[in-house]
Amino acid sequence: MSELLPFCKIKLQYLLEMVTDHELDDNALRVALYLALAHANHETGESRPSFETIGAAIGKHAKSVKRALNKVEAAGYMTIKRGTNKGNASRYRPTDAALKRATDRRRERDKVVPLSRTKGGQSCPQSGTDLSGKGGQDRPPNREQELRIERGHASAPDLLDEGQSGGTRSKRAPDGQHLVFVPRGICFVRDWNERLAREGMTTLECSLPLSPHKHHLGFWLPARTPAPLGSAEWQDQLQLLRDLIRETSENAEHRHAV
């Protein structure tokens, strides 16, 4: 794998992952955003302001800032090297894993191929995103489907709860593999749709049912973002996604037959 990009080039990708992480509360997000935007080193992303400095800037008490930083660290976005006294300030730095994800996302976005209708493929108008077809027409709302979803009757087919009420990875595929909930309308869904287009497949909206999760609607997918093209991990993700799509189709045919 090639080297990580400088933080200044992947800052938006790094921040975007935190902004769309539903497990990260607003206070933790606010502190992380301030560090990245106001103090981060252009190359490494490291910053060293005190709790008092951060608190004064965003209107929070130093103890609240400390708790927020602990949450950002626990979520895997940042490592903290804690100082011992006023002359030795704490250091906050993005984790290597978070930087790698941001680097991969930046490189993927740099080689994005615009979506086009695949020959012989099914046409599916998009709604309210930059993936919509010519003229920007919205897909007409399906009120019946929305009501089913609101009542909790629409869910990913044959997926079993693990009983993890607070986690993002709270479902498994029938073969035991973890699935991650990705809300509709965010950049991660567009990333998946762009990748599926490369494989000559239809979009998530045309392939999988919308599922409710923590007051959001979205899709249960192999990961939050697709793995790098050509990697073994991507091939595994693609196979799992094809299995989910096939099972969705088979379940729909069974329901219609009954």
Side-chain angles (χ1 to χ4, degrees), residues 118 193 196-203 207 238 241-242 245:
T118 306
N193 284 337
L196 292 178
R198 288 172 176 259
E199 301 291 338
M201 299 168 64
T202 57
T203 61
S207 306
L238 182 60
L241 194 55
R242 282 174 170 159
I245 293 172

Side-chain angles (χ1 to χ4, degrees), residues 86-101:
K86 291 186 178 180
N88 184 14
S90 297
R91 299 181 180 183
Y92 320 108
R93 183 170 182 166
T95 62
D96 288 342
L99 292 175
K100 180 181 180 299
R101 291 193 298 269

Side-chain angles (χ1 to χ4, degrees), residues 220-240:
W220 289 99
L221 302 174
R224 180 177 294 181
T225 60
L229 275 171
S231 66
E233 185 181 1
W234 164 241
Q235 293 303 319
D236 291 341
Q237 290 179 354
L238 182 60
Q239 184 58 52
L240 176 55

Side-chain angles (χ1 to χ4, degrees), residues 21-218:
D21 186 343
H22 297 175
E23 307 301 322
L24 201 63
D25 67 35
D26 292 344
N27 195 37
L29 176 61
R30 192 170 179 182
V31 170
L33 289 172
Y34 173 72
L35 289 177
L37 295 173
H39 292 276
N41 178 277
H42 286 318
E43 290 293 321
T44 66
E46 182 178 300
S47 54
R48 305 184 185 183
S50 66
F51 296 152
E52 290 76 15
T53 298
I54 300 171
I58 64 173
K60 297 289 183 180
H61 192 277
K63 289 184 179 179
S64 178
V65 171
K66 183 178 181 180
R67 288 193 296 269
L69 285 167
N70 289 338
K71 292 178 181 179
V72 177
E73 182 182 33
Y77 294 109
M78 187 180 295
T79 58
I80 302 176
K81 185 176 181 181
R82 291 166 175 81
T84 55
N85 51 53
K86 291 186 178 180
N88 184 14
S90 297
R91 299 181 180 183
Y92 320 108
R93 183 170 182 166
T95 62
D96 288 342
L99 292 175
K100 180 181 180 299
R101 291 193 298 269
T103 295
D104 291 343
R105 178 177 298 282
R106 172 61 187 268
R107 287 182 171 136
E108 284 296 314
R109 298 295 292 178
D110 285 346
K111 354 178 239 191
V112 164
V113 175
L115 284 179
S116 59
R117 182 174 177 180
T118 306
K119 286 187 177 180
Q122 179 182 2
S123 175
C124 177
Q126 304 300 302
S127 57
T129 72
D130 56 2
L131 297 181
S132 24
K134 289 185 178 180
Q137 291 183 336
D138 289 343
R139 182 169 47 198
N142 186 333
R143 185 56 185 161
E144 182 181 351
Q145 181 186 33
E146 291 177 355
L147 288 173
R148 288 200 306 268
I149 292 171
E150 290 170 2
R151 294 167 185 160
H153 292 165
S155 59
D158 299 327
L159 300 180
L160 305 177
D161 283 326
E162 287 186 76
Q164 301 174 355
S165 59
T168 302
R169 290 175 176 251
S170 58
K171 285 194 180 280
R172 289 180 184 268
D175 61 0
Q177 296 189 60
H178 282 288
L179 296 174
V180 175
F181 183 78
V182 180
R184 68 174 178 177
I186 65 173
C187 63
F188 300 132
V189 170
R190 292 196 294 272
D191 290 344
W192 277 104
N193 284 337
E194 288 164 0
R195 187 64 67 82
L196 292 178
R198 288 172 176 259
E199 301 291 338
M201 299 168 64
T202 57
T203 61
L204 295 175
E205 292 84 351
C206 290
S207 306
L208 294 174
L210 277 173
S211 300
H213 179 63
K214 292 186 177 180
H215 310 294
H216 297 280
L217 294 176

